[in-house]
Amino acid sequence: MTPDQPQPILPDDQPAAHEQPLLDRYAEFRFQTVVASITDYAVFMLDPHGNIATWNAGAERIKGYRMDEILGSHFSRFYPADAIAAGRPAQALEAAAAYGRFQDESWRLRKDGSRFWASVTITAVRDESNELRGFIKITRDMTERKRVEALEAATRRLDVFIATLAHELRNQLAPLRHTIGILQSLPPSELGPALTQCKDIADRQIEQLVRLVDDLLDIGRIKSDKLELREAPLNVRDIVYRSVQGIQPKIDARGQQILVRLPPGPVIVHGDDVRLVQVLYNLLDNASKYSPNDERIEIHVRTEGKVVAIDVVDRGIGIMPGAQESIFNLFEQENVAERHAPGGLGLGLAICRKFVDLHGGSITADSAGIGKGSSFTVRLPAAQPDPAFETAQKAPAPSPAHALRILIVDDNRESADTLGILLQIKGHTARVAYHARDALPLAREFAPHLMLIDLSMPDISGFELLQALKASGTAPDAFHVALSGHVRSSDRQETADAGFHDHFAKPIPLDALDELLARVEDDARRRGRL
Ligand code: ADP
């Protein structure tokens, strides 16, 4: 007999076929055919003593015996030795006979001796006079499910371990960070050049560690669904500005530049500002990490109907074809060989995607291939304009009627660049000179409406620069504003005497900056320069 042929499902002492009505015989034939061809389950009959009476294709597949090898054997041969010793096969039949059905999940043996995790149902078969005629046994191989369950349990344990580890690490990092903060507050003269360098290295490394630990904590929250958003209407330009400001030190250290393009007027989304800044920061950090030094990174904000799209574009190592989706998986890292910058753990993009998903948005990656740069696009639902919010937004940061040309002269790159970006975000055109000697030719070419000049620079002081500008007749109509660490009234008098129009302590408070820009705009308009 082969498994394909319908097999008698009842023992031989059943009524002869010719005694059954034709329809009964047809139904039985159909049933036998179906049972014989089932491959997912072992379905077979036992006589009342537990000897195997029928066999199907599934039984052969799962247990490995052909029908001719197994018919007539006792079903206990499928049980491991310890289960036989404990009398399990007999107990199973007794329970099925007593209660009609017996169910169990436990290990069974295949013909080759290997174990599999079986889900077993044994059903008693009785005739009209309630006499026990045998049993139907259905066995399913659950090894794969058992393996998946074991894997899930191990993953859960790992998640708990990661979350606990992250909390512990964070506690240990806090005092270290404070110690570095204390060292940072000491003047470099007190530490000397070698210790200043060590302190800066420790500062950077601790910051990196804190970020990694924060990422691990976020992963813990994501895994346990404990991530909550604190949502409010947000102006996308603020989100962009804060993320750019955060990343600026790293960008400067690599000699890279960020170019920001924003649409005119406020673009509002509803969301959690901290999380959205974190998303853009991560994308900018990657763009910088995976780009050569001195390259340019761009952020473009666009509106596509009811969606706000934010692109972060770089000209770096690019992404392998086919990996644009998988890089968003946890711990996924590509192009490892091409990296020059130290990578992280492969957490950032997974976290970004989760945060953006929670905002009802999407994040995608695009690249023309290795070496061809990458662009990441975050899409968020645009919020309904809220008149109260828009008014509040417009007051401190009016979008200018006319863009001003502004030149910032400051040897502190971080401070100069962030101010430049802030001005760009406000819709103006900003240029930066890190040396006073570069400022003269740049001012000549750029003809700024406003020059923001740091007073203490190593090569030429701000006072000397102003003198040189005036003496050479460079940008004669520009508004000159002095910047310095702190401003006493005597300093203000000194800069006014030297010909500066105003003097601010760094960083310029936002409302003072807006007021200054409005004044310069007025001045430029009166002079017919706008
Ligand atoms: P990490 O940067 O810590 O490895 P992420 O989740 O932020 O982790 O990124 C996952 C992977 O995606 C990176 O390892 C890298 O292979 C790839 N990737 C992310 N951003 C860029 C980018 N701007 N250019 C090229 N590859 C990138």
Side-chain angles (χ1 to χ4, degrees), residues 65-145:
Y65 295 96
R66 290 191 318 274
M67 180 158 11
D68 58 337
E69 320 178 287
I70 198 72
L71 282 189
S73 305
H74 195 260
F75 85 113
S76 58
R77 73 190 296 171
F78 305 135
Y79 284 72
D82 56 339
I84 295 175
R88 295 270 153 67
Q91 289 162 8
L93 292 193
E94 276 163 28
Y99 305 110
R101 171 187 274 238
F102 169 81
Q103 280 180 307
D104 179 29
E105 274 203 15
S106 50
W107 292 109
R108 294 288 187 277
L109 293 182
R110 293 194 182 90
K111 182 184 167 188
D112 62 8
S114 61
R115 297 198 322 164
F116 68 98
W117 186 255
S119 159
V120 174
T121 306
I122 302 177
T123 309
V125 179
R126 293 179 182 279
D127 61 17
E128 297 83 38
S129 57
N130 207 26
E131 181 99 4
L132 183 69
R133 311 299 302 189
F135 301 92
I136 296 176
K137 191 165 183 245
I138 301 176
T139 304
R140 191 170 178 199
D141 183 353
M142 307 298 281
T143 314
E144 186 55 24
R145 198 192 73 184

Side-chain angles (χ1 to χ4, degrees), residues 3 19 32 48 74 90 95 145 156 158 184 209 214 221 230 239 261 265 302 319 335 414 419 434 457 494 530:
E19 293 169 19
Q32 288 171 7
H74 195 260
R145 198 192 73 184
R156 270 195 302 277
L158 194 65
Q184 293 286 31
L209 270 176
D214 283 349
R221 288 188 196 111
R230 274 190 234 130
I239 304 294
R261 264 200 221 124
R302 304 172 278 130
I319 302 167
N335 310 339
E414 227 168 83
L419 183 55
Y434 304 123
M457 288 180 284
E494 198 184 350
L530 271 179

Side-chain angles (χ1 to χ4, degrees), residues 28 120 122 158 188 199 203 207 315-316 327 335 341 363 407 411 413 472-473 481 492 503:
E28 187 188 315
V120 174
I122 302 177
L158 194 65
K199 171 204 72 182
D203 187 32
E207 202 208 301
R315 298 155 189 212
I327 53 173
N335 310 339
I363 175 166
L407 178 56
D411 61 307
R413 293 178 71 121
S472 59
V481 172
R492 222 176 258 290
H503 187 170

